[in-house]
Amino acid sequence: VNLRALTSWVGTARLLALVLSCLAFSLVASTGHFGGPYGTWCMFTWCFCFTVTLLVLLLELLELYPLLPLSWDDFTSAFSMLATLMVFTSSVVFPATFISSPCSSSLCARQAVATTASCLCFLAYAAEVSLTRAKPGDISSFLSTVPGLLKVFEAYVACLIFSLLDDYNSKSGLMWCVAVYSICFIFTLLIIIFTIGRCLTYIPCPLEKVLVAYNFLALLMYLTATVLWPLYSFQGRSRPDPCGTNCSWDKHLGVTFLTIFNLIAYLVDLVYSTRMVF
């Protein structure tokens, strides 16, 4: 039994995340008010993060992780980054969707405490990412470096974009943007999977230069999407009044901002990858 898995700073952050995610989904489950796609997403996030964190702690406590056919450091780094992003999204979406003002009932109080627990859980996962991130000059797993963490961020933002896509089949410019999101997501996800599965060594060419070339191409593709998506989405269209929860105009606006976020992520990724290689 490796007690350091629980007593180290990283172990402490994981224990906090475990308790807080359990508290969040337990309180929300006790209210019975988490229907619809947003509530289901939040509950899935807290349950998923709780389950995987518990599994990570048990495997490290019993020192069973070396038996797994994967890169454990890459897996835990990728998961902590993914959990940080997922819990942050839930911490914003849940109160915006389910908590109304004024908040005076016991139901609302439990929802508010669950939101607070979710925010603290986000901080615990962010602390784990900070503690396990590779420092400059360290020889460590790829997904614990800044480019590796950005790969997880880029894939997650692409998933958010897919969840907001609506009414794009009628214009060729929008279809090109969807193709950009899909191609970049697939290649980024393959890089993450191959890294965790220790398969990158089988690529018959210099991996670092391949990543630099891919980041450059992805940056150019996202640059075109950053221009074309708002151009084709909002040209000659004003925001309808009223604009409900499933308003296509708001979804297109969300995709626009997420596209800009991923453009910046690929730019930073390219800069860091270039510095690492050259």
Side-chain angles (χ1 to χ4, degrees):
V1 176
N2 179 21
L3 293 178
R4 182 167 173 76
L6 303 178
T7 58
S8 64
W9 285 111
V10 175
T12 302
R14 287 171 179 165
L15 281 174
L16 287 173
L18 184 74
V19 173
L20 291 167
S21 59
C22 179
L23 178 62
F25 76 71
S26 298
L27 284 171
V28 174
S30 70
T31 65
H33 291 271
F34 53 88
Y38 295 120
T40 303
W41 162 255
C42 294
M43 284 294 287
F44 167 77
T45 295
W46 295 320
C47 294
F48 170 75
C49 293
F50 170 82
T51 304
V52 178
T53 303
L54 179 61
L55 182 64
V56 168
L57 285 171
L58 288 176
L59 288 174
E60 291 207 344
L61 181 65
L62 301 177
E63 294 189 329
L64 297 176
Y65 64 89
L67 302 177
L68 300 177
L70 51 82
S71 174
W72 183 251
D73 290 338
D74 283 309
F75 171 74
T76 53
S77 296
F79 167 70
S80 60
M81 183 63 180
L82 177 63
T84 301
L85 297 170
M86 291 177 67
V87 174
F88 173 77
T89 305
S90 298
S91 300
V92 174
V93 169
F94 182 78
T97 306
F98 292 96
I99 298 181
S100 57
S101 180
C103 184
S104 56
S105 64
S106 61
L107 171 67
C108 185
R110 279 180 285 174
Q111 290 174 332
V113 175
T115 302
T116 304
S118 183
C119 293
L120 294 175
C121 185
F122 156 70
L123 294 177
Y125 280 118
E128 182 184 348
V129 172
S130 178
L131 290 169
T132 57
R133 185 176 67 86
K135 305 301 185 293
D138 287 353
I139 299 176
S140 185
S141 57
F142 171 69
L143 293 180
S144 65
T145 63
V146 173
L149 295 174
L150 285 171
K151 287 287 182 290
V152 180
F153 177 85
E154 292 154 4
Y156 182 76
V157 172
C159 290
L160 293 181
I161 290 175
F162 293 145
S163 70
L164 294 175
L165 288 179
D166 184 24
D167 190 22
Y168 60 86
N169 293 320
S170 58
K171 298 180 180 179
S172 58
L174 297 183
M175 294 177 68
W176 161 253
C177 295
V178 174
V180 168
Y181 304 142
S182 302
I183 293 170
C184 292
F185 170 74
I186 290 171
F187 276 96
T188 301
L189 185 62
L190 286 176
I191 291 172
I192 295 172
I193 294 174
F194 286 173
T195 302
I196 294 175
R198 298 174 177 170
C199 299
L200 290 177
T201 54
Y202 298 108
I203 297 178
C205 49
L207 174 62
E208 295 82 2
K209 294 183 180 180
V210 170
L211 290 177
V212 171
Y214 164 68
N215 289 331
F216 180 72
L217 291 176
L219 178 65
L220 293 180
M221 294 173 69
Y222 258 91
L223 186 60
T224 63
T226 304
V227 175
L228 292 178
W229 182 267
L231 179 65
Y232 280 89
S233 294
F234 304 119
Q235 189 176 32
R237 293 180 59 191
S238 57
R239 188 174 188 273
D241 187 22
C243 193
T245 55
N246 291 319
C247 180
S248 177
W249 197 94
D250 283 352
K251 290 183 178 180
H252 281 241
L253 182 64
V255 172
T256 301
F257 281 105
L258 291 173
T259 302
I260 296 173
F261 291 159
N262 247 2
L263 175 68
I264 296 172
Y266 277 109
L267 175 60
V268 177
D269 195 353
L270 176 63
V271 172
Y272 269 91
S273 299
T274 305
R275 289 177 58 188
M276 288 174 64
V277 173
F278 300 105

